[in-house]
Structures are given as structure tokens and as C-alpha cells.
Amino acid sequence: MPAPEPDFSRLGDARIFIDRTAYADQGAWHAAAERLRKTDPLPLIDVEGYVPFRAVTRHAEVAAVERNHTLFWNTRDSVLLPRARVEQSRALGMDIKTLIHMDGAEHRATRALTNDWFKPANLRQEIGQKLPVLARRFVDRMLEHDGACDFARDIALYYPLHVIMSILGVAETDEPRMLDLTQKVFGGEDPDVGGREGEDPVVIFMAALAELALYFKGITDDRRAQPTTDIASTIANGRIDGQPLGDLETAGYYSIIATAGHDTTSSTLAGGLEALIRDPAQLRALKDDPSRIPNAVSEMIRWVTPVRHFMRQAQDDAVVGGVALEKGDWLLLSYLSANRDDTVFAEPFRLDIGRANADEHLAFGIGVHFCLGAHLARMELEAFFRELLPRLEHVELDGAPESMATTFVGGLKRLPIRYRVRPAA
Ligand code: HEM
């Protein structure tokens, strides 16, 4: 049985960073974050069972900490988790080390293996032609649902999953299993999404990780025997200091790309569509002028900010936002809060597809860990809206959307809609 969750209520507004259920009510979450940005921008959160940390709520300080990667490290604990869970998986040797858990030369060398693959020119060559075809297929799937669907579950979940799995060389028939496994490895907090109420998250996590490692071993062996230009082959045949990656490192690399690459993008797709449905004038403006789609996508990414946080640890004494930190202190970088900071974004609580500085959002982070898949995510989202909007004759909400209760990666888990979509021309 999982340990019962602690009572976070004594933390007041600052509970929003540690209590996963707070994320399920986005309105209340954002109201609390706004109060903190104005009155207590780096609150200290000290709860039994977790490392004490300060939450960084404002855009300026999140960016400053990210840019100073020699002073603030990711470490192996770059995601906020209960200490018992970390210790248990570490004791069993089951904590995977991926890019987000590395710093310095190790991070540079490991990232260099795939960095060029994710650059726009290579992406255009590898998947530029394929994306519009896939986008069409998933918009066509809306036709099959006959005018009503849960867009989050029926469409948004599967399109980025299919893109990422196909570039990783996963067979389409294996995708549902891979979805289940990757959600268990990186998203096991919300019982509706990653696991089941009453199951121990560590057990879920470890069983899923072992199965993923086994699966990806097969792909690695295949690409070593028959190299191609895809990302799976790039990882399988990559070398650091002349040595290929070991089985667990290879599985970790595939897994971080698989997991980072779908929930994030699907959450943005569903959250972006919801915001457009709620503001028909902007939906119309985007339909009338598709050249606005790239900026609208930047704004949707700011709006949704599906990666809620990453952690950093100070490697020396430091001062952040006027607060003195000691070596070893932890910071939680709240991208979700920073992206509603009204000192950077005018009217931050409004989705504005024409926002001039939409690209100043921190949803992809900034600095050496800047999201490796940022261009890919943008290309996917743009391709989908390019296909959907000209064919979308009508759309409305068909019930209340629901958000995931997770502290790490999240967004809508339900978006019931009614619509009329034209068949492809
Ligand atoms: C809208 C979609 C996405 C969002 C909002 C997002 C967000 C982020 C964030 C916040 C980080 C950490 C940045 C930092 O610490 O400074 C990150 C890292 C990363 N992302 Fe994404 N991501 C998205 C899509 C993707 C996709 C499609 C991939 C697929 C390859 C991907 C792969 C990665 C990887 C591998 C890292 C680790 C990079 C490193 O530590 O060097 N992401 N992402």
C-alpha cells in the first residue's frame, strides 16, 4: 500500500507546489501562485518526507537560476518526489539516470549524442513530410467519433504518442502498451492516469521500467545490426569516450524521449484547443489567418505549461531574488507560475494568439537543459492545427474539462467536445 499523503494545509498558498491535488483545480492554483509572486515569491516548503525547498515563482528568478547551471545543478533528484520513494528505488538500483538527472561534462556528452538529430533541418528531413499525413489521420479520427469525443483521451493522447513512438522505432501495435509503461514511469501520480488507487507507486514504477528496458533492448540490438537514420539508431550506435551506452543507459535515453515527448505535447494540444473553444473570437481569427498558427502555438505552450517544475540544488552559497541560500539548498522552478508573471506577460490570464512576446515563455526551460524536443513539439502542434482548423466547422464544450492531479507533467485528462469536422478535401 502507498503511504498516505501528508496534510499540506498548514502551508497555505505554498501547498500548491507539493500537493498534487492542488494542480487539478487550475483556477485556484493560479490564484494562489499569483498571490505568492506578489507577496512571498520564494516560499519555503518544509514537509516531513520531502527535502525542504523554496519554490521559485517569478519569471526573472526562474530564468536566472536556469542560466546559472554551474551554480545550480539538476542532480539525480531533479523531480520532486517523496524521499521514501527515491530511497526505495535507489536501494534497489532502479533509479534511471537520464539527461534531466545529469550535470556538467556528463550531461554535455550525453546530450551531444542526439542534439543534432533534433535540430530543425534534420527534423524537416526525417519527419517533415510525415507530420501532415499523421495530423490528417488523427483529425480523420475525429470524424469516426461522429461529432462528439473526449478530445484529451481520444485524440490528443495518441497523436504525439504515435509521432514519438514512430521515431523511436516502436511498432504501432505496441503503442498502447508503451503508453501505459511510460505513464507509469514518469506520470504515476494521478491514479486515473498512471496507476490505480491503492497500488504502490514504487512497485508500479519499477515493474514498468524493467519492461521498458527489455523492450528497448530489442530495438537497440536491431539498430546495431542494421543502422538507419532514425533517433533509435542514433542512440543505439552513439558513443561516449569511444564506448557505446550500456543497456540501462540506452533504455533510459529512449525512455526520457518517449515520456518527455508525448504527455507534454498532448497536454498542450488539448489545453490549447480548450482555450480556443472558450474564446471563439480567437478561434475565428486563427481559422481566418493560418499564418498566425506558429505564434498561437507558442502562446498555447505558455498557456498550458505542461511541465510544471524541475528542481535545482545550489552547489554553493547564493542569493536568489534577495533570499540567501546555503550550499545544498533546493529550489523548485515553477514554470507554470513564471509563465503567468505579469511583469513579463501583459494580461497573463488571457490566451492571446497575437501576443508579441509569447516566445519569452519558460515552458521549455532555458540554458543547457533547454527542451531537446522543443522544435519537434512545435512542428507537431502546428501540423495538427493546420489540418484541423480549415476543416473545423463548429466546436463547443460538451461537459466540464478535468485536469490531472500531478506535480510534474500534466494538463487536461478530459476534454469533452461536440463538433462538426469536414472530411479531408
Ligand atoms: C510542449 C511540449 C514540451 C514541453 C513544454 C517540454 C518541456 C521541457 C522542459 C521544461 C524541460 C527541462 C528544461 C530545463 O531544465 O531547462 C524539457 C527537457 C527535455 N525535453 Fe521537453 N518538452 C516538450 C516536448 C518534448 C518532446 C516532444 C521531446 C521529444 C524528444 C522532449 C524531450 C526532452 C528531453 C530529452 C529533455 C531533457 C533535456 C536535457 O536535460 O538536456 N520534450 N522539456
Side-chain angles (χ1 to χ4, degrees):
M1 281 293 284
E5 292 189 32
D7 175 15
F8 299 113
S9 57
R10 68 170 176 80
L11 295 170
D13 281 340
R15 81 174 241 281
I16 61 171
F17 302 107
I18 195 164
D19 182 351
R20 65 180 183 85
T21 63
Y23 283 89
D25 184 347
Q26 285 282 294
W29 194 97
H30 278 300
E34 191 183 27
R35 285 192 293 273
L36 289 167
R37 283 194 298 278
K38 301 215 182 309
T39 59
D40 184 14
L42 273 97
L44 179 65
I45 294 144
D46 189 353
V47 175
E48 206 189 323
Y50 289 81
V51 290
F53 65 92
R54 284 187 181 274
V56 185
T57 60
R58 295 190 303 208
H59 190 283
E61 282 96 24
V62 171
V65 170
E66 287 245 16
R67 286 199 170 102
N68 198 344
H69 61 268
T70 47
L71 183 55
F72 298 106
W73 284 16
N74 277 41
T75 82
R76 296 198 77 151
D77 298 312
S78 56
V79 175
L80 180 68
L81 287 169
R83 260 196 283 203
R85 178 167 163 189
V86 175
E87 279 157 19
Q88 197 177 345
S89 49
R90 206 153 285 169
L92 294 165
M94 291 296 279
D95 62 330
I96 39 169
K97 193 173 185 192
T98 72
L99 286 175
I100 58 165
H101 310 109
M102 294 177 188
D103 295 282
E106 183 185 27
H107 173 256
R108 250 191 322 278
T110 310
R111 181 158 170 142
L113 289 180
T114 56
N115 210 39
D116 285 352
W117 198 92
F118 284 101
K119 287 196 170 144
N122 188 59
L123 283 176
R124 276 196 296 275
Q125 193 170 322
E126 287 285 329
I127 54 157
Q129 314 262 312
K130 213 163 148 189
L131 273 183
V133 178
L134 292 179
R136 172 157 298 184
R137 197 165 127 194
F138 282 85
V139 174
D140 284 348
R141 206 177 267 188
M142 290 175 75
L143 285 175
E144 291 161 23
H145 284 276
D146 213 14
C149 73
D150 179 343
F151 184 80
R153 281 227 236 191
D154 299 330
I155 310 294
L157 199 59
Y158 291 103
Y159 164 64
L161 177 77
H162 182 62
V163 174
I164 205 77
M165 291 300 165
S166 65
I167 67 171
L168 280 171
V170 171
E172 197 165 349
T173 44
D174 293 336
E175 283 178 16
R177 185 75 197 123
M178 295 311 262
L179 172 67
D180 184 49
L181 292 176
T182 54
Q183 282 185 335
K184 281 175 173 155
V185 169
F186 281 94
E189 286 178 298
D190 187 324
D192 265 8
V193 180
R196 280 185 294 276
E197 200 81 65
E199 274 184 313
D200 187 332
V202 178
V203 175
I204 297 175
F205 168 84
M206 291 194 311
L209 182 60
E211 202 175 326
L212 273 179
L214 194 66
Y215 186 91
F216 283 127
K217 171 91 174 70
I219 294 184
T220 306
D221 291 346
D222 181 65
R223 292 303 190 279
R224 284 184 180 157
Q226 286 175 307
T228 67
T229 59
D230 69 8
I231 187 69
S233 190
T234 308
I235 295 169
N237 295 297
R239 285 184 147 58
I240 296 181
D241 297 332
Q243 297 300 315
L245 300 183
D247 287 347
L248 212 58
E249 284 88 6
T250 317
Y253 218 132
Y254 288 130
S255 302
I256 185 71
I257 289 176
T259 49
H262 68 77
D263 275 0
T264 49
T265 314
S266 29
S267 291
T268 310
L269 190 54
L273 182 64
E274 182 205 10
L276 289 176
I277 294 172
R278 290 188 187 276
D279 192 340
Q282 297 215 52
L283 175 59
R284 222 170 14 254
L286 206 50
K287 279 166 69 78
D288 289 348
D289 182 1
S291 73
R292 303 180 78 176
I293 288 176
N295 199 68
V297 161
S298 292
E299 175 68 346
M300 288 176 198
I301 294 168
R302 177 192 79 85
W303 181 254
V304 176
T305 309
V307 177
R308 274 64 165 102
H309 83 269
F310 266 110
M311 305 290 286
R312 294 292 190 268
Q313 188 179 35
Q315 301 303 302
D316 208 337
D317 295 354
V319 176
V320 174
V323 173
L325 302 174
E326 290 181 4
K327 180 177 175 175
D329 281 356
W330 286 96
L331 296 172
L332 175 145
L333 306 180
S334 179
Y335 305 115
L336 194 58
S337 171
N339 283 342
R340 293 285 197 281
D341 188 334
D342 63 5
T343 64
V344 177
F345 304 107
E347 292 188 74
F349 293 98
R350 179 169 171 262
L351 178 104
D352 175 3
I353 59 163
R355 188 180 291 282
N357 68 344
D359 265 335
E360 284 181 46
H361 72 73
L362 295 174
F364 290 130
I366 197 166
V368 293
H369 286 276
F370 178 79
C371 175
L372 191 61
H375 294 296
L376 173 62
R378 295 189 50 98
M379 283 170 73
E380 284 178 48
L381 293 163
E382 289 178 17
F384 192 89
F385 283 106
R386 273 209 179 90
E387 177 67 25
L388 174 68
L389 293 176
R391 295 173 54 186
L392 187 63
E393 291 176 343
H394 172 78
V395 63
E396 64 187 36
L397 291 179
D398 188 28
E402 279 178 49
S403 293
M404 289 177 215
T406 59
T407 55
F408 182 34
V409 176
L412 292 177
K413 61 182 175 188
R414 308 239 192 295
L415 179 60
I417 58 171
R418 286 198 162 275
Y419 52 87
R420 272 197 316 279
V421 168
R422 265 199 301 271

